[in-house]
Amino acid sequence: MFQINEDWQSIFNSEFEQPYFKSLKIFIEESYSQTICFPPINQIFNAFNLCAFKALKVVILGQDPYHGLGQANGLAFSVNPEMPLPPSLNNIFKELAMDLKIPPPQNGDLSTWASQGVLLLNATLSVQEGKAGSHQNQGWEQFTDHVIRTISSHTSNVVFLLWGNSARKKRKLIDAQNHLVLESGHPSPLSANRGYWFGNGHFSKVNAYLKLKGRKLIDW
């Protein structure tokens, strides 16, 4: 059911055998067979399949997949190319354009970011249609926390972008001596319109750090 990139598979094999993950797998199988869920079941691990572990440069943390028909594609904040931009993604693109003085991307599919080493990781990797948060507290958070800890302890010089209170709580999982951690408000209109998002300059700060470490920059 879960197909995952080989280099991630070797890292997480032992985690897949944990009792909590076996229970999670049963929950997902039942949920997808009985209700409409997103993303499509073969895209649940898209964040890993499009961003190889050995190529990892940036981690962007989200919460839930979008719960509307045709939106979620397994990447945090990303939607399929034909879909209108959700408000948070629209604000991400506005900040990107202001920060780097470039035109925003033409659509909301962030696969090109993932292919360059940006892990777009939601805390919960699935959701029932129309019910935000419906797959929380089933085991996904334990798994994705393990992902963050593993990246922190097994890599160096990765940039973690923590947007909003939920993401910022993950800071305790990250070795800030070995990585760069950037925090700001969430790009949702509620936060952004209060001045907690725009002007954070995260996209230019990512590339400045990568340049300092001799790594290839992200073409945002």
Side-chain angles (χ1 to χ4, degrees):
M1 178 182 68
F2 294 145
Q3 299 174 347
I4 190 167
N5 188 306
E6 282 185 12
D7 58 351
W8 291 100
Q9 179 94 40
S10 62
I11 293 168
F12 297 139
N13 270 340
S14 60
E15 201 68 12
F16 295 151
E17 297 304 316
Q18 297 296 320
Y20 87 88
F21 197 90
K22 290 181 178 180
S23 297
L24 171 62
K25 187 175 180 181
I26 293 170
F27 169 78
I28 295 301
E29 289 172 340
E30 291 177 348
S31 297
Y32 273 76
S33 66
Q34 296 170 8
T35 61
I36 298 173
C37 297
F38 304 120
I41 200 164
N42 64 343
Q43 294 183 353
I44 286 178
F45 280 140
N46 246 9
F48 304 100
N49 291 331
L50 296 179
C51 175
F53 183 78
K54 60 182 177 294
L56 187 60
K57 299 174 185 173
V58 182
V59 179
I60 298 178
L61 298 179
Q63 291 177 261
D64 266 9
Y66 298 115
H67 53 80
L69 182 65
Q71 289 183 296
N73 58 13
L75 305 175
F77 295 105
S78 175
V79 292
N80 287 310
E82 68 278 6
M83 300 302 296
L85 296 184
S88 291
L89 184 56
N90 189 45
N91 283 339
I92 289 171
F93 284 176
K94 285 181 180 179
E95 171 60 24
L96 171 64
M98 289 189 297
D99 182 19
L100 298 181
K101 308 297 189 292
I102 60 173
Q106 294 185 341
N107 63 64
D109 182 5
L110 303 182
S111 297
T112 55
W113 292 5
S115 65
Q116 297 177 76
V118 180
L119 181 68
L120 295 147
L121 180 66
N122 278 317
T124 304
L125 299 187
S126 60
V127 69
Q128 184 178 336
E129 182 181 26
K131 294 185 177 181
S134 51
H135 287 187
Q136 292 178 0
N137 303 315
Q138 298 292 336
W140 277 134
E141 295 90 343
Q142 186 172 343
F143 175 71
T144 54
D145 279 359
H146 176 75
V147 172
I148 296 167
R149 288 193 197 93
T150 300
I151 293 169
S152 178
S153 61
H154 287 71
T155 69
S156 298
N157 305 326
V158 170
V159 186
F160 289 82
L161 301 182
L162 310 184
W163 298 340
N165 290 335
S166 293
R168 294 170 86 166
K169 290 177 182 176
K170 307 295 184 181
R171 185 184 180 96
K172 63 182 182 292
L173 307 175
I174 304 163
D175 178 3
Q177 300 299 314
N178 202 29
H179 304 280
L180 177 63
V181 180
L182 298 176
E183 302 181 39
S184 80
H186 196 274
S188 67
L190 183 63
S191 175
N193 293 339
R194 291 178 176 175
Y196 301 134
W197 166 255
F198 291 116
N200 65 34
H202 280 187
F203 300 100
S204 58
K205 289 174 182 175
V206 166
N207 277 348
Y209 181 79
L210 293 176
K211 183 178 181 179
L212 180 67
K213 299 300 181 181
R215 308 193 72 184
K216 188 175 180 180
L217 309 188
I218 303 296
D219 181 2
W220 299 107

